[in-house]
Amino acid sequence: MKLHPLSESSEKPQGRRDKRQLILDAAVRVFARMGYHGARVSDIAREAGIAYGLVYHYFRNKEEILGTIFEDRWARFLDAVENVACSRTSTREKLTSIAALILGGYRVQPDWVKVLVLEIQRSSRFAEPGQIRAVGRLFQSVERILREGQEQGALRDGFDPDVASQLFIGGLEIAVTARVLGVTRAGDGESEDEYCARVARTVVDLFFDGVRAGGVA
Amino acid sequence: MKLHPLSESSEKPQGRRDKRQLILDAAVRVFARMGYHGARVSDIAREAGIAYGLVYHYFRNKEEILGTIFEDRWARFLDAVENVACSRTSTREKLTSIAALILGGYRVQPDWVKVLVLEIQRSSRFAEPGQIRAVGRLFQSVERILREGQEQGALRDGFDPDVASQLFIGGLEIAVTARVLGVTRAGDGESEDEYCARVARTVVDLFFDGVRAGGVA
Amino acid sequence: MKLHPLSESSEKPQGRRDKRQLILDAAVRVFARMGYHGARVSDIAREAGIAYGLVYHYFRNKEEILGTIFEDRWARFLDAVENVACSRTSTREKLTSIAALILGGYRVQPDWVKVLVLEIQRSSRFAEPGQIRAVGRLFQSVERILREGQEQGALRDGFDPDVASQLFIGGLEIAVTARVLGVTRAGDGESEDEYCARVARTVVDLFFDGVRAGGVA
Amino acid sequence: MKLHPLSESSEKPQGRRDKRQLILDAAVRVFARMGYHGARVSDIAREAGIAYGLVYHYFRNKEEILGTIFEDRWARFLDAVENVACSRTSTREKLTSIAALILGGYRVQPDWVKVLVLEIQRSSRFAEPGQIRAVGRLFQSVERILREGQEQGALRDGFDPDVASQLFIGGLEIAVTARVLGVTRAGDGESEDEYCARVARTVVDLFFDGVRAGGVA
DNA sequence: GATGAATGAGCTTTCATTCAT
DNA sequence: AATGAATGAAAGCTCATTCAT
């Protein structure tokens, strides 16, 4: 059983890079609670238990904190996605794994996903080429899986992998957002794990088989 | 040929509500250009050609402007969606119409959609019950179409209409966002209209038939 | 009897430009008391009896206040100097008048001269071309007087008017600085007026006759 | 041929006082480049190639650095001036030597003189009794030379040596400041040395003979 | 002596909002 | 209705100074 790539290591940090990480972790919690614009640098410092000015020792300004939060963990997340894309399993299993990664993120790091969905995605940074490109890599990974599926004959020809990747990821993003906003939740007697697995399966099923009656011969 | 519900009426406004509308229109342009937080009330006033104190005659505060922008046009948009949902056409046509509505919004009102996607969606207002409910009505309309499709036998049973509506709308939302961010664009020699129609068709096709090889008998 | 050009008009300001002037006058007092760097914008606002932010309604920043203080009054001072330079009196009287203008400034506007001598002169602005040029005009006026004196035969040939203007003004500047710093002061039973007149006369005498014994035939 | 008293000794410093001197020299360069207020302690430390905490081992605070810069070299300069004052030469030669000392400082130590003229002179320290007294000693030396000249009959009676010393030094100060600010410079084909000597001679000539026509019998 | 992480008071500046006219 | 001067809370950021190592 593998850990989710966003799950935090539990080691107590004590070296020199630690204060920096302390600040990042505190910032994630504070941004999740108050939003990026609502959070003051002093809030982050207090949450991290350090002095105000130290934040500026490690980061040029507040925005760099948000940017770093994104870059650090998004890279880890992308690695996991790309590992899946390269793995030697069926197309369906690959897409199911990716769906689980996306949906599971919220279970493992609700604050971080909240910040990603509500703050980073809509910060001015998000519109920057670098960030768009980073996000684009997720789409490209999925596109590649779809294209390989077509080549192997597992997926039908005749659909645009580009648009299809948007449909797939867009559906999952809405599901995560709905979860973050509290619109949907796990059913009674259903664990978070089970909930994620169920939704991932449902999305992949839909994505594979479509909604049309008689679609499956 | 029907107008898109977001297309602006061309009547020159001249009554008393006019200044109010002037402010709203100016705000849409300014928010699109500078973002909600980057826009000052004075920027909106200058764009509208009025004194900035006057803004406070018509709106309690800056946030109310954003809220009003959303409510005004979202209501019009929802009406159009619900009209489609009630219309006496096939499920496929209904979904295609809705896809065209969503995708066409950017063509008709790029600034407004930009503000909706980049600002409103991530404002704290968006997390308010009222706004979530308003957005929820879009999902419910689609859900209803899907459920009716299942009842009529046009769509297969065995998928959750709730999750399916998320997949459908999520896919479209990503497509619109990609358009807003300039990641995708119309192909060479393709008009905006044709582009929208093509993407709408592709999404509906995928949503109907899935990606699985042999899915279509 | 003419007023010194730096003496303030006594009219109570009440129009719209007044707040601006109120701020400038307050700033002169505060800068004189605490120095430019020691003065906070809030000190100026309090001294002027206005709200903090209003300062930024009239001035871009603190430095612009200092610059405006200099420009406003230095222009008035230069006018007076240039009037003297153009007047139809003897060279000696012209130089005596200018000496009196320079020395009298401190009597009439001690705060302003203090700010000029201690703050403006050494601010980074002072090293700016515009400001150097403005100060240069004082030297040029004196130079012109000296050159005309040479042409008219009132002054001997054989000295460089450029260096001579530096000697003349430099001497007066030191005298003023010494006064500002409290190193020198009026003698017992001597009014400020008399003190200025006496020093002005002494400087001009020295400048005219030199220190050499037998210099006067 | 004697060295200018401000010229730096060329010995490589290697004892314990060295770091201290390293800091002072670095500070002179940094203050000259960025101004006292514009220079951060860390800038000085970087220029000196040391950790910036170390600065506080050698100096109580930033201001003490400025003060030390002044005191160290001013003392050396004053010694030179007082040597001249005591020397057994003519009054004219004494004043010419002092003029050369003042003017030559910029040639030998442009950074230091820049800091003296632009920073120290206008720092709050400068208004402190100790510093005023130190500067006053320069005036007193000149005054003493003038008084002795009067007693010996080389200079005429009937002028106030106090005001005369201000005229003399003030003129030189302006000349140096103009040099520092780049307003004046050596003529074509004139070395810095020659330039200094020429201006020194001109100032002394003027100071001795005055500007009046017929002043020299 | 030497380091540089840590501190935090205090600054300038911004700008939503109020209000007298 | 309309103006824009006036308000002042609040925020980001700087940097001299301290201190543990």
Side-chain angles (χ1 to χ4, degrees):
Chain A
M1 171 83 191
K2 275 167 65 183
L3 272 177
H4 191 280
L6 293 183
S7 61
E8 269 176 305
S9 61
S10 53
E11 354 159 0
K12 283 279 170 217
Q14 270 177 347
R16 33 184 101 132
R17 284 242 87 101
D18 299 342
K19 281 281 165 61
R20 190 188 151 90
Q21 197 55 49
L22 215 56
I23 294 170
L24 288 173
D25 292 342
V28 167
R29 290 193 297 276
V30 173
F31 288 158
R33 201 190 311 136
M34 335 176 66
Y36 175 73
H37 279 103
R40 286 162 294 183
V41 174
S42 64
D43 293 322
I44 298 172
R46 194 179 326 108
E47 177 83 22
I50 58 157
Y52 195 91
L54 193 57
V55 173
Y56 288 89
H57 198 77
Y58 291 99
F59 301 94
R60 201 189 315 280
N61 52 39
K62 196 171 125 178
E63 205 197 337
E64 197 179 88
I65 300 176
L66 191 65
T68 306
I69 287 174
F70 171 74
E71 281 155 23
D72 276 11
R73 306 216 193 176
W74 187 257
R76 269 198 271 163
F77 173 70
L78 270 191
D79 278 351
V81 168
E82 283 168 6
N83 271 338
V84 168
C86 297
S87 65
R88 306 199 142 274
T89 55
S90 71
T91 300
R92 187 170 205 128
E93 274 177 70
K94 284 179 183 171
L95 292 177
T96 307
S97 294
I98 286 174
L101 277 176
I102 293 176
L103 291 164
Y106 183 70
R107 178 173 44 86
V108 176
Q109 286 283 310
D111 280 346
W112 189 79
V113 172
K114 214 167 164 182
V115 171
L116 175 70
V117 168
L118 295 181
E119 304 299 330
I120 294 173
Q121 223 177 47
R122 20 224 102 178
S123 73
S124 59
R125 276 190 90 85
F126 182 66
E128 281 174 17
Q131 204 139 118
I132 290 181
R133 223 173 306 123
V135 173
R137 285 179 58 200
L138 171 61
F139 286 83
Q140 283 151 22
S141 284
V142 172
E143 244 184 277
R144 183 178 144 202
I145 293 172
L146 296 177
R147 220 176 290 276
E148 284 174 5
Q150 288 179 319
E151 285 161 11
Q152 294 161 8
L155 303 185
R156 64 179 173 91
D157 290 339
F159 68 87
D160 184 344
D162 186 22
V163 176
S165 72
Q166 290 179 12
L167 184 66
F168 183 69
I169 296 170
L172 292 166
E173 202 233 333
I174 293 284
V176 170
T177 303
R179 190 81 192 74
V180 168
L181 293 176
V183 175
T184 59
R185 61 181 60 80
D188 291 336
E190 184 180 44
S191 76
E192 280 286 337
D193 253 13
E194 288 162 350
Y195 173 78
C196 284
R198 177 171 64 80
V199 175
R201 224 179 313 115
T202 316
V203 169
V204 174
D205 281 353
L206 268 168
F207 187 66
F208 258 74
D209 299 324
V211 295
R212 195 164 65 144
V216 182
Chain B
M1 172 82 191
K2 276 168 66 183
L3 274 177
H4 191 281
L6 293 183
S7 61
E8 268 175 307
S9 60
S10 52
E11 359 158 357
K12 284 276 170 217
Q14 271 176 347
R16 31 185 108 130
R17 292 239 84 108
D18 299 344
K19 280 278 167 62
R20 188 188 155 90
Q21 195 56 46
L22 215 56
I23 294 170
L24 287 173
D25 292 342
V28 167
R29 289 192 298 276
V30 173
F31 288 158
R33 201 189 314 137
M34 335 177 63
Y36 174 74
H37 279 102
R40 285 161 295 182
V41 173
S42 64
D43 293 320
I44 298 172
R46 194 178 326 109
E47 177 84 22
I50 57 160
Y52 70 90
L54 193 56
V55 172
Y56 288 88
H57 265 276
Y58 293 99
F59 302 94
R60 199 191 318 279
N61 53 36
K62 193 172 134 180
E63 207 197 338
E64 197 181 84
I65 300 176
L66 191 67
T68 305
I69 287 174
F70 171 74
E71 281 155 23
D72 276 11
R73 308 215 193 176
W74 187 256
R76 271 198 270 163
F77 173 70
L78 269 190
D79 279 351
V81 168
E82 282 167 8
N83 270 338
V84 168
C86 296
S87 66
R88 305 200 143 273
T89 55
S90 70
T91 300
R92 187 169 205 131
E93 274 177 69
K94 284 178 183 171
L95 292 177
T96 306
S97 295
I98 286 173
L101 277 176
I102 292 176
L103 291 164
Y106 183 68
R107 179 173 43 85
V108 176
Q109 286 284 311
D111 279 347
W112 188 78
V113 171
K114 216 166 164 181
V115 172
L116 175 70
V117 168
L118 296 180
E119 305 300 330
I120 294 173
Q121 222 176 47
R122 24 221 97 182
S123 72
S124 57
R125 276 191 89 87
F126 181 67
E128 280 173 18
Q131 204 140 116
I132 291 180
R133 225 173 303 122
V135 173
R137 284 179 57 200
L138 170 62
F139 286 84
Q140 282 150 24
S141 284
V142 172
E143 243 185 278
R144 182 178 143 203
I145 293 172
L146 296 176
R147 219 177 291 277
E148 284 174 5
Q150 288 179 318
E151 284 162 11
Q152 293 161 9
L155 303 185
R156 67 180 171 89
D157 289 339
F159 68 85
D160 183 345
D162 185 22
V163 176
S165 71
Q166 290 179 13
L167 184 67
F168 184 69
I169 295 170
L172 292 166
E173 200 233 333
I174 293 283
V176 169
T177 303
R179 191 83 193 74
V180 168
L181 293 176
V183 175
T184 60
R185 62 181 59 79
D188 290 335
E190 184 179 43
S191 74
E192 280 286 335
D193 254 14
E194 289 162 349
Y195 174 77
C196 283
R198 178 171 64 80
V199 175
R201 222 178 314 115
T202 315
V203 168
V204 173
D205 281 354
L206 268 169
F207 187 66
F208 258 75
D209 300 325
V211 295
R212 195 165 62 147
V216 183
Chain C
M1 172 84 191
K2 277 168 65 183
L3 274 177
H4 192 281
L6 293 183
S7 60
E8 269 176 305
S9 60
S10 52
E11 356 157 0
K12 286 279 169 214
Q14 271 176 346
R16 35 184 100 135
R17 285 242 88 100
D18 299 343
K19 280 282 164 58
R20 190 189 151 90
Q21 196 56 48
L22 214 57
I23 295 170
L24 287 174
D25 292 341
V28 167
R29 290 192 297 275
V30 173
F31 288 158
R33 201 189 313 135
M34 338 177 62
Y36 174 74
H37 280 102
R40 286 161 296 183
V41 174
S42 63
D43 294 320
I44 299 173
R46 195 179 325 109
E47 177 82 22
I50 57 157
Y52 200 92
L54 192 57
V55 173
Y56 289 89
H57 197 76
Y58 290 99
F59 301 94
R60 202 191 314 280
N61 52 38
K62 195 171 123 179
E63 205 197 337
E64 197 179 86
I65 299 176
L66 191 66
T68 305
I69 287 175
F70 171 74
E71 282 154 23
D72 277 11
R73 307 217 192 175
W74 186 257
R76 269 198 271 163
F77 173 69
L78 269 190
D79 278 351
V81 167
E82 284 168 6
N83 270 337
V84 168
C86 297
S87 65
R88 305 199 143 273
T89 55
S90 70
T91 301
R92 187 169 205 133
E93 273 176 69
K94 284 178 182 170
L95 292 177
T96 308
S97 295
I98 287 173
L101 278 175
I102 293 175
L103 292 164
Y106 183 68
R107 180 173 44 87
V108 176
Q109 286 281 312
D111 280 347
W112 189 78
V113 171
K114 215 166 163 182
V115 171
L116 176 69
V117 167
L118 295 179
E119 305 300 330
I120 294 173
Q121 221 177 49
R122 17 224 100 178
S123 73
S124 59
R125 276 189 90 86
F126 181 66
E128 281 174 16
Q131 205 139 119
I132 290 181
R133 225 174 303 123
V135 173
R137 285 178 59 200
L138 170 61
F139 286 84
Q140 284 151 21
S141 284
V142 172
E143 244 184 279
R144 183 179 143 200
I145 294 172
L146 296 177
R147 222 178 288 277
E148 284 174 3
Q150 288 179 319
E151 285 160 11
Q152 294 161 7
L155 304 184
R156 67 180 172 89
D157 290 338
F159 68 86
D160 184 345
D162 186 24
V163 176
S165 71
Q166 291 178 13
L167 184 67
F168 184 70
I169 295 168
L172 292 166
E173 201 233 334
I174 294 283
V176 170
T177 303
R179 189 84 194 73
V180 167
L181 293 176
V183 176
T184 59
R185 61 182 59 79
D188 290 336
E190 186 181 41
S191 75
E192 280 286 338
D193 253 12
E194 289 161 349
Y195 174 78
C196 284
R198 178 171 64 82
V199 175
R201 224 178 312 116
T202 316
V203 168
V204 173
D205 281 353
L206 268 168
F207 187 66
F208 258 73
D209 298 325
V211 295
R212 197 169 59 148
V216 182
Chain D
M1 173 79 191
K2 278 167 65 184
L3 274 177
H4 191 282
L6 294 181
S7 60
E8 269 176 306
S9 60
S10 53
E11 358 156 0
K12 286 274 171 221
Q14 270 176 349
R16 27 184 110 128
R17 292 239 83 108
D18 299 345
K19 281 278 167 62
R20 188 187 153 90
Q21 195 57 48
L22 216 56
I23 294 170
L24 287 173
D25 292 342
V28 167
R29 290 193 297 276
V30 173
F31 288 158
R33 201 190 313 134
M34 334 176 67
Y36 175 74
H37 279 102
R40 284 162 296 184
V41 173
S42 64
D43 293 319
I44 299 172
R46 195 180 324 111
E47 176 84 22
I50 58 160
Y52 72 89
L54 194 55
V55 172
Y56 288 86
H57 265 275
Y58 293 98
F59 301 94
R60 199 192 318 278
N61 53 38
K62 192 173 136 182
E63 207 196 336
E64 197 179 83
I65 300 176
L66 191 66
T68 306
I69 286 174
F70 171 74
E71 282 154 22
D72 276 11
R73 306 214 194 178
W74 188 255
R76 271 199 269 163
F77 173 70
L78 269 191
D79 279 351
V81 167
E82 283 167 5
N83 271 337
V84 168
C86 297
S87 66
R88 306 200 141 271
T89 55
S90 70
T91 300
R92 188 168 205 134
E93 274 176 69
K94 284 177 182 170
L95 292 177
T96 307
S97 295
I98 287 173
L101 278 175
I102 293 176
L103 292 164
Y106 183 68
R107 179 173 43 87
V108 176
Q109 286 283 312
D111 280 348
W112 187 79
V113 171
K114 214 166 165 182
V115 172
L116 176 70
V117 168
L118 296 180
E119 306 299 330
I120 295 173
Q121 223 176 47
R122 17 223 102 178
S123 72
S124 57
R125 274 192 91 84
F126 182 65
E128 280 174 17
Q131 205 140 116
I132 290 180
R133 225 173 301 123
V135 173
R137 285 178 58 200
L138 171 60
F139 287 83
Q140 283 150 23
S141 285
V142 172
E143 241 182 280
R144 183 179 143 200
I145 293 172
L146 296 176
R147 220 176 290 276
E148 284 174 3
Q150 287 179 319
E151 284 161 13
Q152 294 160 8
L155 304 184
R156 67 180 170 88
D157 290 338
F159 68 85
D160 184 345
D162 186 23
V163 176
S165 71
Q166 291 178 10
L167 184 66
F168 184 70
I169 296 169
L172 292 166
E173 200 234 333
I174 294 282
V176 170
T177 303
R179 191 85 193 74
V180 167
L181 293 176
V183 176
T184 59
R185 61 181 60 79
D188 290 338
E190 184 180 44
S191 75
E192 280 285 337
D193 254 12
E194 289 162 348
Y195 174 77
C196 284
R198 177 170 64 81
V199 175
R201 224 178 312 115
T202 315
V203 168
V204 174
D205 282 354
L206 268 168
F207 187 65
F208 259 73
D209 299 325
V211 295
R212 198 168 58 148
V216 182

